[in-house]
Amino acid sequence: MQICDVNGMIEMREKRNWMKMCGVVFALMLSMAAFAETRRTPLVKYPGEVGQHGWKFRGAEKGKVVYIPFEGYYKSKGGRIESPVFKLDKKTGENAWYELKFEAKSLENGYWWVDFFDRAGEQLPDVNSRLYGSKDWRSYEVVVPTRPDADSAQIAFVSENGAFVRDVELRELSVNEAAEWCDKFYKDLPPVDCSRISNESWGLLPKTKSLLQSSNELRIVFLGDSIMNDTWCGNFGPLVFKDFPAAKIKMYVSVRGSTGCWYYHEKKHFEEYVVRYSPNLVVIGGISNYLGPEKSTVRQAEDHMVETIKRCRSIGAEVIVCTPPPSYEFRPDSTSKPFDLSLCEAPLDGRYSALRWDYQRNAAKRTGVQIWDLTTAPADSISRSGKPLMWFKRDEWHNDDRGKQLIARTIAAYFHAAKLYPDYAGNQNVGLKRTVAAE
């Protein structure tokens, strides 16, 4: 009896030791997996000053107005030094985010730039932002989003009067890492007040909300101009992916420089920029949906948006119309004060016309689609900041990573509302009732 008891005790002890060992091995495997996720090997690495390793220089077209893909016709931004094109290591057909690290110094502001290409070599919307003028070396750690169909990329730096850049590297991030970068970057910015975003911001999006809360695929197209591209480049994506980890989301930014619904409402353009992605949801935004008084009337702009919305519905997609995010510097000075909502009703032939939102609201009301306010919260944050003029911008028309992040936090807050109110179905006949944060 004693022998049996001893044997049983030995057997139990051996089982416990085995379980402990298995636990240690499992914990070690988890630790190694976490380490692998957070410290992936750089995809490309260019030590020392750029100019070696196959980089090429393109001369400036100083003073000339040139066409910049996905932005439009603007004054040349300067000379450009660019890396060889390299293949991405992300999972094919999935969104991904990359960390771009480098050091730079330049007497004037310039741009860092990443171009993307699909498998056929066609150029996709780029990501670019501000290279801050500095006589001393300045370190950069920025996050670059990619579309699911991005297959290769090229890194570049642009400056009118030259810039020095060194120690460039690019590596893929996990969703959590990219979201953590957003949170860390946002801590140094004036806060965005999204407290007025309500459950009714999803009242007209039942299919999209259901897909977000399932494991079925949700395909989203963000349609517009370079300002919509900037909204995308603000990296709201990882914040949304983190909120809905089980959802199979695929996001496509589909833009043409200085272009809006006056172009996309035409069948051939709609097929090229929307239909090819088979979206469940189309998000219409930017500041170029109205051409200006010399080319169209406000009513025509509204009608073009209505026609675009109807085309989206004809392919089974739900629609969100976004009011214009801040782009041009709308502040007369850097005095800290609340955002002046009257600017959103300014004449369409003046300085503040990019913020006007009445024709967009009317189009949404006529078609019964959701409208999200991307104007008020980020514009109020900028107005109250007391920061110098142009502090949030990379040039006269476009935001830098600071301005982009404020807009990204706003659109991420709208998506977050679907998580906060998972059971709210909404009233499908309420139109615009309390769906806009400014109301």
Side-chain angles (χ1 to χ4, degrees):
M1 188 70 162
Q2 286 183 333
I3 294 174
C4 291
D5 286 341
V6 170
N7 287 339
M9 291 173 64
I10 291 172
E11 186 177 349
M12 289 179 64
R13 186 170 62 191
E14 287 178 345
K15 284 183 178 179
R16 284 198 297 267
N17 289 340
W18 173 251
M19 291 176 67
K20 277 184 181 180
M21 186 171 70
C22 288
V24 169
V25 171
F26 184 64
L28 183 60
M29 289 173 65
L30 288 176
S31 176
M32 290 173 66
F35 181 78
E37 179 186 80
T38 56
R39 297 309 309 168
R40 297 183 187 184
T41 303
L43 169 62
V44 292
K45 196 169 184 177
Y46 301 103
E49 289 195 26
V50 299
Q52 309 171 56
H53 315 293
W55 287 64
K56 294 180 180 178
F57 177 74
R58 281 200 225 165
E61 298 179 273
K62 200 163 186 177
K64 287 187 179 181
V65 174
V66 297
Y67 181 74
I68 302 170
F70 312 107
E71 283 196 9
Y73 286 94
Y74 293 96
K75 178 184 171 184
S76 172
K77 297 180 184 295
R80 169 182 166 116
I81 187 167
E82 57 191 26
S83 75
V85 175
F86 52 87
K87 190 172 178 63
L88 295 173
D89 59 351
K90 74 180 189 68
K91 189 175 180 180
T92 303
E94 302 289 342
N95 289 102
W97 291 268
Y98 284 84
E99 176 189 65
L100 174 63
K101 293 177 67 175
F102 61 92
E103 291 187 344
K105 63 179 180 179
S106 173
L107 293 178
E108 299 176 357
N109 289 337
Y111 302 83
W112 59 261
W113 208 287
V114 183
D115 287 321
F116 292 103
F117 308 89
D118 66 15
R119 188 171 294 180
E122 292 295 318
Q123 189 170 355
L124 303 177
D126 59 73
V127 181
N128 73 85
S129 199
R130 187 174 174 186
L131 203 63
Y132 296 92
S134 171
K135 65 179 182 180
D136 299 316
W137 288 102
R138 178 173 180 151
S139 296
Y140 292 77
E141 291 185 16
V142 296
V143 170
V144 180
T146 74
R147 291 190 350 176
D149 52 347
D151 181 72
S152 58
Q154 180 179 56
I155 302 167
F157 299 93
V158 180
S159 174
E160 283 193 342
N161 293 304
F164 296 92
V165 184
R166 67 187 184 191
D167 299 335
V168 179
E169 64 179 63
L170 185 86
R171 71 178 180 97
E172 188 181 357
L173 300 178
S174 67
V175 168
N176 286 339
E177 285 179 295
E180 286 168 6
W181 178 89
C182 291
D183 291 340
K184 182 180 177 181
F185 188 72
Y186 179 57
K187 283 181 180 178
D188 294 327
L189 299 177
V192 179
D193 182 6
C194 296
S195 61
R196 299 186 71 179
I197 294 175
S198 74
N199 52 8
E200 290 188 2
S201 60
W202 285 89
L204 301 172
L205 300 166
K207 294 178 182 177
T208 301
K209 190 174 184 181
S210 176
L211 288 171
L212 274 175
Q213 295 164 350
S214 75
S215 59
N216 296 319
E217 186 174 88
L218 169 60
R219 300 172 69 89
I220 308 175
V221 166
F222 296 87
L223 182 68
D225 55 8
S226 61
I227 306 305
M228 176 54 95
N229 195 43
D230 276 357
T231 301
W232 158 260
C233 295
N235 290 303
F236 59 83
L239 301 175
V240 177
F241 278 54
K242 189 176 178 182
D243 263 347
F244 302 96
K248 295 178 181 177
I249 306 170
K250 293 189 177 181
M251 295 181 174
Y252 294 84
V253 61
S254 185
V255 299
R256 182 175 181 265
S258 305
T259 300
C261 289
W262 54 268
Y263 182 85
Y264 298 125
H265 80 99
E266 295 183 13
K267 185 176 184 293
K268 64 179 180 179
H269 303 315
F270 184 79
E271 289 177 350
E272 179 183 359
Y273 286 87
V274 180
V275 175
R276 64 188 295 187
Y277 303 112
S278 304
N280 309 101
L281 173 67
V282 178
V283 183
I284 300 172
I287 65 170
S288 303
N289 289 300
Y290 174 63
L291 279 171
E294 72 284 355
K295 294 184 179 179
S296 68
T297 65
V298 178
R299 179 64 188 208
Q300 285 175 321
E302 182 182 317
D303 288 344
H304 290 154
M305 184 168 283
V306 167
E307 290 172 24
T308 305
I309 292 168
K310 287 180 177 178
R311 287 197 183 279
C312 293
R313 284 184 156 171
S314 73
I315 62 171
E318 293 182 324
V319 180
I320 298 168
V321 172
C322 294
T323 65
S327 53
Y328 290 82
E329 178 58 84
F330 59 87
R331 298 174 295 164
D333 55 54
S334 59
T335 305
S336 176
K337 54 191 172 186
F339 174 58
D340 182 3
L341 276 172
S342 69
L343 298 181
C344 298
E345 301 170 356
L348 280 165
D349 58 352
R351 173 183 174 186
Y352 306 110
S353 61
L355 292 174
R356 186 160 170 175
W357 60 20
D358 57 342
Y359 67 94
Q360 296 159 325
R361 288 170 173 262
N362 291 339
K365 188 172 184 178
R366 283 170 59 186
T367 53
V369 300
Q370 202 73 54
I371 188 163
W372 286 2
D373 178 7
L374 296 192
T375 312
T376 308
D380 192 59
S381 176
I382 292 169
S383 291
R384 294 177 183 272
S385 70
K387 297 294 186 182
L389 295 178
M390 302 298 289
W391 195 79
F392 298 91
K393 310 187 64 55
R394 67 182 187 272
D395 57 38
E396 182 181 351
W397 311 275
H398 302 97
N399 292 298
D400 66 4
D401 281 342
R402 296 162 177 164
K404 292 177 192 177
Q405 184 64 203
L406 300 183
I407 300 164
R409 305 309 290 205
T410 307
I411 199 167
Y414 273 104
F415 275 98
H416 187 66
K419 181 179 180 180
L420 291 177
Y421 311 106
D423 300 321
Y424 180 77
N427 181 346
Q428 300 302 299
N429 299 310
V430 296
L432 293 181
K433 183 181 178 182
R434 293 193 60 77
T435 59
V436 180
E439 294 182 347

